[in-house]
Amino acid sequence: MKLKILVYILVIVSLYNCSYVNEDDLTEDLIIEEVTTYEDNIKTIIDTNCIFCHNNPPENGAPMPLTTYANVKDAIENRGLINRISSTDLGFVMPFGGPRLPQNLIDLVIQWEAEGLMEN
């Protein structure tokens, strides 16, 4: 009887000590279309993670808005947006003061740039 109780307690303790925190838990499963476009793939990322500071007009010290396709395209081509979202330096990474974007979202922005920054 004591052995059954001991085994039961060990099973319960081991289940509570299990951790499900891994990179897969921190990323979203996105179905990537054949061609990555601003409207279909990138706008949602920007609106969810960037607009609270990069609004029009920008807030909290943000240097430019990211409210339109042209704004985001310019930020990638001329302002180092991909370097900012890809950085692991906490003083440089965007979103500023928040957690770094999941790698799959960063990869999607990089893919969008590689495919020519298409709008639609």
Side-chain angles (χ1 to χ4, degrees), residues 31-73:
I31 298 172
I32 298 175
E33 305 292 326
E34 285 186 27
V35 176
T36 307
T37 67
Y38 174 76
E39 288 295 328
D40 291 339
N41 308 102
I42 305 304
K43 185 176 185 329
T44 302
I45 297 169
I46 300 297
D47 288 351
T48 302
N49 298 286
C50 309
I51 290 299
F52 51 88
C53 291
H54 291 275
N55 210 332
N56 196 6
E59 298 178 22
N60 300 323
M64 75 284 198
L66 294 175
T67 56
T68 67
Y69 163 75
N71 295 148
V72 177
K73 182 179 177 188

Side-chain angles (χ1 to χ4, degrees), residues 2 4 10 16 22 33 51 74 85 99 103 108 112 119:
K2 288 183 180 182
K4 282 185 176 181
L10 287 174
Y16 279 110
N22 63 41
E33 305 292 326
I51 290 299
D74 178 64
I85 64 173
Q103 189 61 48
L108 193 59
W112 179 54
E119 185 172 7

Side-chain angles (χ1 to χ4, degrees), residues 10 19-20 36 48 56 58 82 89 96 104 107 113 118:
L10 287 174
S19 174
Y20 295 101
T36 307
T48 302
N56 196 6
I82 290 178
D89 178 353
F96 185 72
N104 65 323
D107 291 343
E113 179 191 32
M118 296 176 61

